[in-house]
Amino acid sequence: MRTKRGKETTLKEVLLNHLGVPDTNTVNDWFRKSYADGYRIDGFEQAKDIIDRFKDKEIHIMGDYDVDGVTSTSIMYRGLRSYGCKKVFYRTPKRFSEGFGLKTSMIDEITDNDSLIITVDNGIAAIDAVSEAKKRGITVIITDHHLPVIEGGVMKLPEADLIIDPTAFPDRADYSGYCGAGVAYKLIRYLLGDKARHLECLAAVGTIADVMERREENFVVVKNGLVMLEKTGLIGMRKLLSKLNKTEHISASDVGFAIGPCINAPGRLLDH
């Protein structure tokens, strides 16, 4: 026997109730606002100014080993290369020997102090590592979506040159529900405009795998990103989709239960 929950009488009403919106006009407004780049995140203009100074110098992307970390690292790497940055490197920590986030040992690997570090999906809590970087004169941009360290009821922030984290500073963004890949994608889209659209599929994968809410611009990214995933030109993703026999009609469930776990798996292998 089937039981009905709530007052919904149609599938449309069920979906709208699930989204927490009264009608489809609200959802359409999300798309219109996103397409017009109306979802503000403060700091992008300053980030562009910093990145412009390092186009011919070393830029080190510091990511993470989970799906959101991998997709945000890929978005930032590909985006910066397309933007014209010539010396872009990336580093993800080793789960078992290093653990999550930026470490001072990772700072030690950088030989040129006149370099730029950009964190993705981490960094807001990397107090010691950022301090070490700044002692050496390295420029640091943090892009993250995690909460900062709180000590004695006071927010403790790393001494970075720029912090972009809508979750930590919701007043600095029109929407604060992004994952790390979402924040990275927003920054690259600010730099590249519509030329960044092919990376939206990675932002969608990160958003779904990190179990972020699907509202506002997240809904737009997931909806469009899943469609783009079916025709992606990203070779690694195409190979993975082929192995999984997921080449058309890709759903959020496909990402959550097949694609995401495959991307996550290498980070769970022993470090050696």
Side-chain angles (χ1 to χ4, degrees):
M1 183 180 73
R2 296 181 180 180
T3 58
K4 187 174 69 174
R5 297 181 180 179
K7 299 179 181 179
E8 302 90 353
T9 58
T10 66
L11 176 59
K12 177 180 176 181
E13 290 176 348
V14 171
L15 294 174
L16 290 175
N17 183 56
H18 180 69
L19 289 173
V21 298
D23 51 48
T24 54
N25 288 331
T26 303
V27 179
N28 290 334
D29 285 342
W30 295 345
F31 281 86
R32 282 189 283 266
K33 185 174 181 179
S34 179
Y35 292 164
D37 290 325
Y39 281 95
R40 168 190 60 93
I41 298 180
D42 293 344
F44 285 169
E45 184 176 355
Q46 187 179 350
K48 180 182 183 301
D49 290 341
I50 294 172
I51 291 169
D52 284 346
R53 300 203 318 261
F54 285 88
K55 273 193 168 181
D56 296 316
K57 301 177 182 180
E58 289 187 7
I59 299 178
H60 297 266
I61 301 165
M62 302 297 188
D64 190 24
Y65 40 67
D66 69 354
V67 181
D68 190 20
V70 170
T71 52
S72 56
T73 299
S74 183
I75 289 168
M76 191 65 71
Y77 178 83
R78 290 176 176 275
L80 291 179
R81 294 284 294 177
S82 295
Y83 186 60
C85 300
K86 296 179 174 61
K87 303 176 183 177
V88 186
F89 306 90
Y90 63 89
R91 171 76 152 82
T92 55
K94 300 178 178 65
R95 182 188 294 267
F96 298 100
S97 61
E98 294 176 327
F100 169 79
L102 183 64
K103 307 296 182 185
T104 55
S105 58
M106 296 161 68
I107 305 297
D108 293 338
E109 296 171 4
I110 300 174
T111 57
D112 187 352
N113 289 344
D114 190 17
S115 297
L116 170 62
I117 288 174
I118 303 179
T119 72
V120 291
D121 191 32
N122 81 99
I124 193 69
I127 309 295
D128 294 338
V130 173
S131 177
E132 177 62 27
K134 294 309 302 172
K135 285 178 184 176
R136 290 182 45 186
I138 298 172
T139 303
V140 181
I141 296 175
I142 289 172
T143 73
D144 201 351
H145 75 115
H146 295 97
L147 290 170
V149 175
I150 304 294
E151 290 186 356
V154 178
M155 184 185 298
K156 186 176 181 181
L157 297 172
E159 301 172 356
D161 296 85
L162 176 63
I163 298 175
I164 299 174
D165 186 337
T167 302
F169 305 102
D171 59 320
R172 299 182 188 177
D174 290 335
Y175 175 66
S176 59
Y178 303 100
C179 65
V183 176
Y185 175 63
K186 287 280 289 181
L187 175 54
I188 292 302
R189 216 171 87 192
Y190 181 86
L191 297 177
L192 296 178
D194 285 342
K195 291 181 180 178
R197 288 289 182 184
H198 69 290
L199 298 173
E200 194 166 19
C201 63
L202 295 177
V205 170
T207 300
I208 296 167
D210 229 37
V211 200
M212 309 306 294
E213 65 172 9
R214 287 175 221 168
R215 288 179 50 80
E216 300 274 353
E217 195 161 36
N218 275 358
F219 185 89
V220 178
V221 167
V222 169
K223 178 70 168 60
N224 290 339
L226 287 176
V227 174
M228 291 180 181
L229 200 55
E230 297 174 7
K231 52 186 178 183
T232 180
L234 302 175
I235 295 175
M237 186 62 74
R238 276 171 42 200
K239 290 290 187 181
L240 175 58
L241 294 175
S242 177
K243 284 288 186 180
L244 294 171
N245 294 317
K246 305 286 184 183
T247 54
E248 58 183 14
H249 307 304
I250 298 172
S251 68
S253 293
D254 291 329
V255 174
F257 295 101
I259 299 168
C262 286
I263 296 174
N264 197 38
R268 294 184 178 277
L269 298 176
L270 292 177
D271 291 350
H272 67 270

